[in-house]
């Protein structure tokens, strides 16, 4: 499952340039018996299988040794993943992600081995692999040197609490729809001002909740207030 995303584009380059190392560990290598079993029926009955404690403990203890590397369980019951959590994870030299499967994992793994639990959203996936890929992608692109220009992450949506401004490329006129003239003006100060305003406007329209924690200047707070008043007046 991991082949595609890790063999392509930015992640691939980051691995090749030794900016990140991603190791995959198959639980079955520590599976029990000659069939390398890793799952069993839940005590108490019910549908589905549960990943057993023993293969998980032996796999993870082998990886981490005596180190206190964070052991993160991917679960729809965990704290919600977002850009802040991605940034937080970049502060660790290493971390381990556990991909659950079937009905999940034996609770004793969560109680005695796991140090953090992360969900990528309020829905249920078949396994933790896709969640792991999402998290790894979001974390790796934060690492210094991974993107062509480190500048490109600073205006990304969620990087500074706002959504990114609209982007345009050639042609200047497409089916009669024009690129905003300010972007063609060559006036960098005006372009930066327009982008910041668009960023605030877009956040106001789509994710007003984000503006509550965004770092806004006095002028921008006033702009936010005017937008809110206009919206309230419109709704009356
Ligand atoms: N029965 C579990 C529950 O209700 O909490 C869900 C098990 S789910 C079918 C199988 C595995 O997919 C989970 O153990 C977890 O690793 C992963 N998974 C599912 N949804 C996820 C989410 N939103 N975020 C992170 N991992 C998720």
């Amino acid at each position: 499952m991991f082949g595609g995303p890790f063999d392509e584009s930015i992640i691939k380059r980051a691995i090749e340039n030794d900016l990140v190392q991603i190791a995959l560990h198959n639980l079955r290598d520590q599976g029990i018996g000659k069939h390398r079993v890793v799952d069993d029926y839940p005590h108490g009955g019910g549908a589905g299988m549960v990943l057993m404690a023993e293969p998980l403990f032996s796999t993870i203890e082998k990886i981490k040794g005596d180190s206190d590397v964070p052991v993160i369980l991917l679960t729809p019951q965990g704290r919600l993943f977002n850009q802040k959590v991605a940034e937080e994870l970049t502060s660790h030299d290493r971390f381990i992600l556990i991909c659950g499967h079937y009905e999940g994992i034996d609770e004793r793994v969560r109680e005695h081995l796991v140090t953090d639990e992360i969900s990528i959203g309020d829905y249920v996936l078949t396994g933790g692999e896709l969640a792991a890929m999402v998290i790894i992608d979001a974390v790796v692109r934060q690492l210094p040197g991974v993107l062509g220009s480190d500048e490109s992450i600073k205006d990304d949506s969620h990087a500074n609490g706002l959504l990114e401004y609209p982007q345009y490329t050639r042609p200047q006129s497409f089916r009669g729809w024009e690129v905003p003239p300010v972007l063609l003006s060559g006036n960098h100060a005006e372009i930066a001002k327009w982008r910041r305003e668009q960023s605030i406007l877009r956040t106001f329209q789509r994710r007003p909740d984000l503006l509550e924690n965004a770092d806004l200047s006095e002028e921008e707070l006033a702009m936010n207030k005017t937008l809110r008043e206009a919206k309230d007046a419109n709704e009356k």
Side-chain angles (χ1 to χ4, degrees), residues 74-77 100-104 118-121 123-128 131:
L74 299 164
T75 163
Q77 303 178 20
H101 222 87
Y102 315 114
E103 277 311 301
I118 295 181
S119 164
I120 62 159
Y123 41 79
V124 176
L125 302 165
T126 308

Side-chain angles (χ1 to χ4, degrees), residues 89-131:
L89 291 179
T90 63
S91 68
H92 301 294
D93 287 342
R94 294 203 303 159
F95 57 82
I96 296 170
L97 297 174
I98 303 179
C99 302
H101 222 87
Y102 315 114
E103 277 311 301
I105 61 162
D106 188 301
E107 187 65 16
R108 289 163 289 191
V109 176
R110 191 198 302 266
E111 286 171 348
H112 303 292
L113 187 62
V114 163
T115 59
D116 194 2
E117 299 178 37
I118 295 181
S119 164
I120 62 159
D122 290 342
Y123 41 79
V124 176
L125 302 165
T126 308
E129 295 86 349
L130 289 170

Side-chain angles (χ1 to χ4, degrees), residues 47-234:
M49 304 295 274
V50 176
L51 286 174
M52 290 189 288
E54 197 177 323
L56 276 161
F57 266 84
S58 38
T59 302
I60 289 162
E61 283 170 349
K62 200 164 156 225
I63 303 168
K64 76 193 273 273
D66 291 337
S67 72
D68 58 358
V69 52
V71 178
I72 305 167
L73 175 64
L74 299 164
T75 163
Q77 303 178 20
R79 62 184 175 129
L80 274 182
F81 187 65
N82 60 23
Q83 192 74 9
K84 273 220 154 56
V85 178
E87 280 165 28
E88 178 196 314
L89 291 179
T90 63
S91 68
H92 301 294
D93 287 342
R94 294 203 303 159
F95 57 82
I96 296 170
L97 297 174
I98 303 179
C99 302
H101 222 87
Y102 315 114
E103 277 311 301
I105 61 162
D106 188 301
E107 187 65 16
R108 289 163 289 191
V109 176
R110 191 198 302 266
E111 286 171 348
H112 303 292
L113 187 62
V114 163
T115 59
D116 194 2
E117 299 178 37
I118 295 181
S119 164
I120 62 159
D122 290 342
Y123 41 79
V124 176
L125 302 165
T126 308
E129 295 86 349
L130 289 170
M133 289 185 248
V134 166
I135 290 174
I136 291 169
D137 188 285
V139 170
V140 170
R141 69 196 306 286
Q142 298 286 324
L143 299 176
V146 165
L147 294 185
S149 151
D150 285 351
E151 281 294 292
S152 44
I153 54 171
K154 95 173 172 7
D155 287 339
D156 269 348
S157 296
H158 303 292
N160 57 9
L162 297 173
L163 302 182
E164 197 184 47
Y165 45 80
Q167 301 270 20
Y168 298 83
T169 184
R170 287 190 288 185
Q172 207 172 302
S173 178
F174 174 70
R175 298 187 176 178
W177 299 310
E178 304 293 331
V179 172
V182 62
L183 297 177
L184 308 170
S185 68
N187 184 332
H188 295 300
E190 281 303 310
I191 293 171
K193 183 166 171 270
W194 181 86
R195 285 181 163 165
R196 180 78 186 173
E197 281 167 6
Q198 289 294 315
S199 209
I200 294 170
L201 183 61
R202 188 157 270 216
T203 311
F204 177 80
Q205 289 163 336
R206 295 169 185 225
R207 290 291 306 277
D209 56 303
L210 295 177
L211 284 171
E212 280 161 33
N213 297 318
D215 191 9
L216 301 181
S217 68
E218 290 291 316
E219 206 179 316
E220 290 166 348
L221 284 170
M223 174 183 166
N224 185 25
K225 188 164 169 257
T226 311
L227 286 169
R228 244 191 354 248
E229 285 166 357
K231 185 167 180 263
D232 290 347
N234 236 354

